[in-house]
């Protein structure tokens, strides 16, 4: 007994706990210097967001700015203040710009200062949310409780933060696959059984769904792309026929994916109709609500999402209309047992205990592919607690009102053509021209290079469209007018 080291050694005098003369840890030599520098870094980023309107949305990266980023790995550290200065000079000015109100490209959220400081707190805790009995996991469980409430899911539905909706959709495909084939598919592989699975989604489905089918070993061809109606929503009759056809051919339909807010046009499938069909056909009903699902927070839009509460699983992002900093995707699953059976992988070094740090089973790692997981939940917890669902919902409503304003300006301007109905916050249009695809592509590039507004492009019915996805809570009529006026000026000049 006398040779045992003390269990608790607050003075740090025993063995490896001894403070060393030189600082061998990676912590600062001088905490007060570090603190002052850290405060400068915080101030710089708050200033960046506060004054974002004074900057261009985006600017092309000059070659001389890229060059220093090809240097060899640093052997000796530099002063933090110097590295910070380099960041301010070389990185910050050439970011993508989605914090800026003029950013309308793709479908991206603008973030908030609250989310930013929450990220700092999460970084300080350095929590690993794979599992264990720790309060950060309770924060994630709290957000899951809120998510269930928002979407009208049952009290025991399981939820998990993931990188984004691409990963959340993949998780849903894997659970649905295993529920259809049996959970021993995880050991035997999809090729072991005779069943050939087929899934269904509209032709407007996001490309991450075919990719998920590919990764799940089912193959992207097994995702049947069903035609859409004039509002880009899945054609329910064509869907029922496709399922029937596949059954007659001896295939095994297992999954229908509805979209709440398609990536191209913001269309919302008839979720109630899909839920009825899935119930009738005994198919897993998954909803990709990447950005559109959170329209549930806006009282004027929520009724359009009727049926979302009947899904077997729902994928969406807090980093889009939820305005949380990247990344913060979420998967919600009605049947927590199916969810767990698709991912839990018990092993000795992750054994659970009834007390101590290994308590609190099931752990988040039992519900997804990741074991090491950051504290994404914290920025969302802060966002929801400080802004509240009503303010977030109001920002979402405002995005849609701006989209309607843009629609009205396009309709009032003969040189412009609206290319798809405006369902939510996405507007697809183009400048009428002979060589229209080339002209509109060039307009978008020049708008981005101007630094004033940054839309992106897509194709509607094979024709190139300027696509404005209004997601950023800072966007106002000023930026919408700049988009229309800029498009007209460039179109006339080209
Ligand atoms: C409808 C839809 N599904 C899936 C995704 C992919 O989401 P993420 O980029 O978070 O992986 C997007 C992205 O915009 C989307 O709009």
């Amino acid at each position: 007994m006398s040779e045992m080291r003390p269990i608790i050694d607050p003075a740090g005098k025993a063995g490896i706990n001894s403070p060393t003369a030189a600082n061998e840890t990676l912590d600062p030599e001088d905490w007060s210097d570090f603190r002052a520098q850290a405060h400068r870094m915080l101030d710089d980023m708050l200033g960046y967001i506060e004054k974002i309107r004074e900057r261009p949305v985006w600017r092309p990266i000059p070659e001389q700015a890229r060059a220093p980023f090809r240097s060899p790995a640093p052997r000796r550290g530099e002063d933090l203040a110097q590295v910070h200065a380099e960041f301010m000079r070389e990185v910050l000015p050439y970011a993508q710009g989605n914090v800026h109100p003029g950013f309308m490209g793709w479908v991206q959220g603008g973030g908030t200062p609250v989310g930013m400081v929450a990220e700092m707190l999460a970084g300080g805790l350095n929590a690993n949310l794979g599992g264990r009995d720790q309060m950060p996991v309770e924060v994630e469980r709290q957000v899951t409780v809120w998510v269930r409430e928002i979407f009208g899911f049952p009290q025991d539905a399981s939820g998990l933060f993931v990188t984004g909706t691409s990963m959340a959709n993949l998780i849903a495909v894997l659970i649905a696959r295993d529920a259809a084939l049996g959970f021993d598919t995880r050991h035997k592989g999809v090729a072991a059984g005779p069943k050939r699975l087929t899934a269904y989604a509209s032709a407007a489905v996001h490309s991450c769904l075919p990719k998920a089918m590919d990764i799940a070993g089912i193959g992207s061809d097994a995702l049947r792309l069903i035609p859409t109606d004039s509002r880009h929503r899945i054609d329910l009759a064509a869907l029922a026929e496709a399922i029937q056809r596949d059954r007659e051919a001896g295939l095994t339909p297992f999954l229908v994916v509805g979209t709440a807010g398609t990536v191209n046009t913001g269309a919302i499938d008839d979720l109630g109709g899909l839920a009825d069909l899935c119930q009738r056909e005994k198919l897993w009903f998954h909803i990709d609500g990447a950005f559109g699902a959170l329209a549930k927070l806006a009282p004027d839009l929520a009724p359009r999402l009727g049926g979302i509460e009947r899904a077997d699983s729902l994928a969406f992002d807090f980093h889009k209309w939820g305005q949380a900093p990247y990344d913060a995707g979420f998967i919600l699953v009605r049947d927590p047992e199916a969810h767990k059976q698709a991912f839990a992988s018990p092993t000795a070094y992750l054994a659970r205990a009834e007390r101590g740090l290994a308590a609190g089973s099931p752990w988040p790692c039992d519900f997804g592919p990741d074991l090491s997981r950051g504290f994404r939940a914290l920025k969302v917890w802060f966002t929801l607690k400080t802004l509240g669902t009503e303010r977030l919902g109001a920002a979402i409503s405002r995005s849609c009102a701006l989209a309607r304003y843009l629609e009205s300006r396009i309709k009032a301007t003969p040189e412009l053509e609206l290319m798809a109905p405006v369902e939510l916050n996405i507007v697809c249009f183009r400048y009428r021209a002979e060589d229209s695809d080339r002209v509109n592509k060039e307009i978008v590039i020049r708008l981005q290079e101007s630094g004033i507004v940054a839309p992106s492009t897509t194709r509607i019915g094979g024709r190139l469209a300027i696509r404005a996805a209004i997601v950023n809570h800072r966007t106002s009529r000023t930026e919408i007018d700049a988009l229309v006026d800029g498009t007209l000026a460039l179109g006339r000049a080209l």
Side-chain angles (χ1 to χ4, degrees):
M1 287 294 279
S2 58
E3 286 181 16
M4 277 181 69
R5 298 220 330 246
I7 294 173
I8 298 172
D9 174 29
K13 287 189 178 134
I16 57 168
N17 287 337
S18 300
T20 49
N23 181 5
E24 290 178 344
T25 77
L26 302 178
D27 287 331
E29 295 285 343
D30 182 331
W31 278 95
S32 60
D33 265 8
F34 187 91
R35 193 182 302 268
Q37 172 59 28
H39 287 168
R40 282 193 287 277
M41 292 165 78
L42 176 64
D43 276 343
D44 274 354
M45 287 321 286
L46 290 175
Y48 172 76
I49 301 175
E50 186 186 4
K51 301 273 164 58
I52 192 71
R53 286 174 181 77
E54 295 170 15
R55 293 177 166 274
V57 183
W58 176 83
R59 63 181 104 184
I61 307 170
E63 266 323 299
Q64 71 271 22
R66 286 187 211 269
F69 288 83
R70 306 285 181 269
S71 63
R75 305 232 5 214
R76 289 179 182 278
E78 271 174 68
D79 194 49
L80 176 61
Q82 270 176 5
V83 182
H84 172 217
E86 190 180 335
F87 167 82
M88 294 302 290
R89 203 176 52 243
E90 313 286 358
V91 179
L92 180 138
Y94 305 110
Q96 183 187 231
N98 50 309
V99 172
H100 196 287
F103 190 93
M104 303 167 188
W106 302 272
V107 184
Q108 303 203 13
T112 63
V114 161
M116 182 190 103
V117 292
E119 281 282 68
M120 187 268 293
L121 300 182
L125 269 190
N126 191 24
N128 179 346
L129 272 79
R132 293 158 290 272
D133 198 19
Q134 52 170 326
M135 215 52 198
V137 170
E138 290 302 333
V139 173
E140 182 156 348
R141 290 183 181 133
Q142 166 68 91
V143 176
T144 304
V145 169
W146 293 337
V147 169
R148 283 181 202 132
E149 183 192 321
I150 290 167
F151 294 110
F153 267 54
Q155 299 271 317
D156 63 343
S158 45
L160 189 77
F161 273 98
V162 291
T163 42
T165 292
S166 302
M167 178 56 89
N169 282 334
L170 171 62
I171 287 175
V173 168
L174 290 169
I175 305 169
R177 180 197 73 180
D178 294 353
L181 295 181
F183 290 92
D184 60 353
T185 304
R186 291 183 61 196
H187 310 290
K188 297 190 169 136
V190 274
K195 287 184 178 165
R196 284 187 50 214
L197 298 179
T198 49
Y200 307 82
S202 92
V205 76
H206 192 274
S207 63
C208 65
L209 255 313
K211 199 189 223 179
M213 292 284 286
D214 155 16
I215 298 170
I218 307 166
S220 54
D221 287 354
L223 179 67
R224 311 295 199 220
L225 298 181
I226 308 299
T228 51
D229 64 15
S230 59
R231 287 173 60 191
H232 300 258
R233 300 172 305 179
I234 194 164
D235 178 336
L236 283 177
L239 170 62
E241 276 169 31
I243 293 169
Q244 181 65 23
R245 238 188 347 265
D246 281 339
R247 286 204 200 283
E248 284 167 10
L251 303 173
T252 306
F254 78 111
L255 165 71
V256 173
V257 180
T259 305
T262 58
V263 62
N264 249 356
T265 67
I268 303 172
D269 286 337
D270 174 357
L271 304 178
L274 288 174
D276 289 340
L277 182 142
C278 288
Q279 201 171 353
R280 238 179 10 249
E281 298 280 348
K282 297 196 172 29
L283 299 175
W284 186 282
F285 177 31
H286 173 67
I287 296 179
D288 174 352
F291 64 94
L294 281 179
K296 198 83 169 85
L297 299 182
D300 58 325
L301 303 168
R304 312 252 316 269
L305 295 169
I308 204 167
E309 70 289 348
R310 295 173 63 194
D312 290 302
S313 49
L314 168 67
F316 70 99
D317 287 321
F318 280 106
H319 56 224
K320 293 187 167 88
W321 252 345
Q323 311 293 345
Y326 281 83
D327 46 34
F330 200 89
I331 178 73
L332 182 66
V333 180
R334 175 174 303 275
D335 178 351
E337 260 319 295
H339 191 176
K340 193 171 152 205
Q341 281 194 66
F343 289 100
S345 302
T347 180
Y349 45 83
L350 294 174
R352 315 300 154 85
E354 53 296 336
R355 289 190 345 271
L357 197 40
S361 189
W363 291 353
C365 67
D366 300 327
F367 295 95
D370 293 319
L371 177 56
S372 288
R373 306 174 63 248
F375 198 178
R376 292 187 183 101
L378 191 66
K379 59 197 172 192
V380 173
W381 186 76
F382 263 95
T383 300
L384 287 166
K385 274 182 91 74
T386 60
L387 300 175
T389 55
E390 287 181 11
R391 246 180 111 185
L392 284 169
I396 289 168
S397 281
R398 221 167 34 245
S399 297
C400 295
L402 285 172
R404 290 193 298 274
Y405 172 65
L406 174 54
E407 176 188 25
S408 70
R409 282 219 55 192
I410 293 163
K411 283 184 166 166
T413 311
E415 289 158 281
L416 300 178
E417 177 188 358
L418 189 69
M419 294 186 68
V422 176
E423 297 288 344
L424 276 175
N425 58 332
I426 298 183
V427 183
C428 292
F429 68 104
R430 65 179 184 167
Y431 185 83
R432 294 181 200 270
E434 287 249 312
D435 190 3
S436 170
D437 284 5
R438 185 193 62 79
V439 168
N440 282 282
K441 182 177 170 198
E442 187 60 27
I443 288 173
V444 167
I445 291 172
R446 292 202 193 181
L447 285 172
Q448 292 168 353
E449 287 172 344
S450 77
I452 297 167
V453 285
S456 57
T457 63
T458 189
R459 286 192 172 270
I460 304 286
R463 301 184 308 168
L464 189 130
I466 300 175
R467 173 163 157 276
I470 300 145
V471 188
N472 191 313
H473 56 101
R474 301 182 182 98
T475 304
S476 67
R477 283 192 178 208
T478 307
E479 288 77 29
I480 303 294
D481 287 337
L483 171 66
V484 173
D485 298 343
T487 300
L488 288 172
L490 288 165
R492 286 168 193 154
L494 277 164

